[in-house]
């Protein structure tokens, strides 16, 4: 099954030379600074390279972060921080607030900001792969794996590094807890979308698919709630996506729950469940239009025209008609089933 995911833009950053004439001396130190400069440039280059794969990204990120640790932790492995931690000023833009940069003279700020972009890259890689027609089983696993890696990076930054910043994260910007939490939950929800698609392809029990869809809808609702106190000018488009996905997977849950009820000859309850599915599908359809019309970070697309959306509409319609036919047979048992 093909998928569609909303994506906020990558963070941009100012160049860093890592030249410290008179401060860092000796050929070994100069070599480390040169390697830092080139490994940072290489990593930034890969963020927009469509041929980059997870192995290339991991290698480049590991190379840069291992060198950057020398600016954060003391080389004698004590608990003291490096004397170089505050030597360099770093500037990064924001995924929601556009080209207005934040700057901190702190290598931890650089570690978090670059790590944030690495996590974003994994979500974008997953999105490109998931949007392909006729995605293979191996590709679906790669999408799932990439989303789990991204969620893990966001979680690690939130739990292990944000508190170390000397200057606290500004409200409504990327490094604030609310935004990081929203990114974590969105990755979890999208990974579960892949699980649902696989369950449908393998024709698993409708009850299982309904339960997974309901849980996914709850993930999206939780992510949307996490962003509810942010400035609408920056978060409106993202929140439209989260809300429409919540409605979409609620419709999925009701649709497959209806199939479970139908299999138990509970036609009346099945019809009511499918009618709820229709309502939530209609809400999702309206939100798709609103999403396309809402200004803000993210792609300009029409989700309602996407294959993943149209498929559910057809499924709800056909399942409801089947329930109504079955209910008619049960109400009039003298009629023959063909």
């Amino acid at each position: 099954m093909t998928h569609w995911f909303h994506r906020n833009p990558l963070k941009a950053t100012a160049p860093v030379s890592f030249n410290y004439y008179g401060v860092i001396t000796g050929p070994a130190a100069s070599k480390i600074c040169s390697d830092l400069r080139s490994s940072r440039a290489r990593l930034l280059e890969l963020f927009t390279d469509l041929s980059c794969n997870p192995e290339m990204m991991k290698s480049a990120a590991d190379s840069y972060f291992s060198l950057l640790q020398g600016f954060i932790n003391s080389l004698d492995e004590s608990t003291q921080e490096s004397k170089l931690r505050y030597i360099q000023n770093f500037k990064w833009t924001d995924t929601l607030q556009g080209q207005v940069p934040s700057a901190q003279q702190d290598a931890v700020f650089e570690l978090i900001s670059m790590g944030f972009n690495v996590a974003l890259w994994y979500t974008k890689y997953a999105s490109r792969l998931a949007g392909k027609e006729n995605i293979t089983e191996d590709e679906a696993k790669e999408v799932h794996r990439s989303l789990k890696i991204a969620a893990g990076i966001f979680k690690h930054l939130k739990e292990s590094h944000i508190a170390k910043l000397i200057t606290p994260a500004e409200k409504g910007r990327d490094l604030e807890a609310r935004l990081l939490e929203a990114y974590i939950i969105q990755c979890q929800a999208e990974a579960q979308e892949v699980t649902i698609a696989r369950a449908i392809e393998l024709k698993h029990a409708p009850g299982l698919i309904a339960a997974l869809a309901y849980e996914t809808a709850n993930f999206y609702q939780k992510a949307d709630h996490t962003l509810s106190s942010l400035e609408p000018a920056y978060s409106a488009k993202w929140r439209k996506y989260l809300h429409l996905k919540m409605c979409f997977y609620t419709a999925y849950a009701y649709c497959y729950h209806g199939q479970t009820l139908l299999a138990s000859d509970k036609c009346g309850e099945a019809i009511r469940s499918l009618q709820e599915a229709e309502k939530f599908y209609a809400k999702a359809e309206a939100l798709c239009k609103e999403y396309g019309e809402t200004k803000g970070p993210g792609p300009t697309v029409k989700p309602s025209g996407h294959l993943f959306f149209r498929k559910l509409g057809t499924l709800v319609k056909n399942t409801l008609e089947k329930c109504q036919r079955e209910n008619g047979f049960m109400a009039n048992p003298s009629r023959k089933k063909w």
Side-chain angles (χ1 to χ4, degrees):
M1 180 189 287
T2 184
H3 298 272
W4 167 73
F5 301 136
H6 167 93
R7 290 293 175 257
N8 292 325
L10 288 162
K11 296 163 74 67
T13 183
V16 179
S17 67
F18 293 105
N19 288 327
Y20 308 111
Y21 302 113
V23 178
I24 296 176
T25 58
S30 297
K31 173 71 164 57
I32 289 172
C33 289
S34 174
D35 289 346
L36 262 168
R37 184 168 56 251
S38 60
S39 62
R40 187 180 197 265
R42 173 60 177 157
L43 185 51
L44 292 172
E45 200 176 81
L46 287 179
F47 287 145
T48 54
D49 184 349
L50 294 179
S51 67
C52 180
N53 59 43
E55 290 73 27
M56 292 165 65
M57 178 54 61
K58 184 179 185 305
S59 175
D62 287 350
S63 175
Y64 180 60
F65 290 135
S66 63
L67 290 166
L68 189 64
Q69 287 301 318
F71 280 66
I72 298 171
N73 300 316
S74 176
L75 295 179
D76 61 7
E77 298 185 356
S78 69
T79 55
Q80 293 182 338
E81 63 189 24
S82 170
K83 293 178 181 179
L84 300 174
R85 176 174 170 179
Y86 307 107
I87 198 172
Q88 177 68 54
N89 190 50
F90 297 96
K91 287 184 180 180
W92 285 89
T93 62
D94 198 75
T95 59
L96 293 185
Q97 298 190 29
Q99 299 306 307
V100 181
S102 293
Q104 289 196 34
Q105 195 148 330
D106 187 351
V108 171
F109 177 69
E110 167 72 357
L111 173 74
I112 296 169
S113 300
M114 189 68 84
F116 193 104
N117 246 21
V118 171
L120 275 182
W121 179 87
Y122 275 101
T123 70
K124 288 176 177 288
Y125 175 77
S127 182
R128 287 200 307 274
L129 204 55
K132 291 174 58 180
E133 293 282 348
N134 302 317
I135 182 171
T136 66
E137 182 182 348
D138 286 342
E139 287 171 333
K141 287 179 180 177
E142 186 73 6
V143 170
H144 191 275
R145 183 162 46 248
S146 294
L147 290 168
K148 298 295 274 188
I149 290 171
I153 294 172
F154 285 129
K155 191 171 188 289
H156 178 68
L157 295 176
K158 178 174 178 275
E159 294 179 355
S160 301
H161 295 292
I162 294 295
K164 295 176 183 175
L165 287 170
I166 298 300
T167 305
E170 299 169 62
K171 285 188 175 181
R173 298 185 77 92
D174 288 337
L175 307 189
E176 201 207 336
R178 286 178 300 177
L179 269 84
L180 282 164
E181 185 64 18
Y183 276 113
I184 292 166
I185 299 168
Q186 181 178 333
C187 288
Q188 292 171 331
E190 291 172 349
Q192 191 141 299
E193 285 193 50
V194 179
T195 302
I196 291 169
R198 186 67 181 148
I200 292 169
E201 287 172 7
L202 294 175
K203 302 190 186 306
H204 284 320
L208 172 64
I209 296 169
L212 287 169
Y214 180 71
E215 187 179 34
T216 304
N218 284 341
F219 274 137
Y220 280 116
Q221 186 175 41
K222 185 179 177 184
D224 179 48
H225 179 72
T226 302
L227 298 175
S228 61
S229 56
L230 288 181
E231 176 61 46
Y234 303 123
S235 62
K237 194 176 187 73
W238 190 6
R239 291 193 64 199
K240 288 290 182 190
Y241 166 77
L242 297 170
H243 193 190
L244 82 83
K245 279 292 185 84
M246 185 275 287
C247 291
F248 182 82
Y249 278 97
T250 302
Y252 245 122
Y254 274 116
C255 182
Y256 277 92
H257 181 57
Q259 291 185 24
T260 303
L261 292 168
L262 182 61
S264 302
D265 290 331
K266 297 177 180 178
C267 291
E269 292 178 48
I271 289 171
R272 284 193 291 274
S273 189
L274 265 298
Q275 287 170 340
E276 286 298 310
E278 273 193 325
K279 287 179 190 176
F280 276 96
Y281 183 78
K283 285 181 184 178
E285 196 166 31
L287 285 162
C288 282
K289 184 179 179 184
E290 291 175 25
Y291 174 88
E293 294 171 350
T294 302
K295 293 181 180 179
T300 304
V301 297
K302 293 182 178 179
S304 56
H306 200 283
L307 182 61
F308 93 97
F309 193 88
R310 298 199 311 270
K311 272 187 172 181
L312 177 59
T314 303
L315 179 64
V316 170
K317 179 176 178 291
N318 292 344
T319 308
L320 178 57
E321 289 175 355
K322 183 180 179 182
C323 290
Q324 290 168 335
R325 284 197 306 272
E326 292 290 326
N327 195 49
F329 285 129
M330 292 182 73
N332 186 4
S334 62
R335 290 173 62 186
K336 293 181 179 179
K337 282 189 182 182
W338 297 99

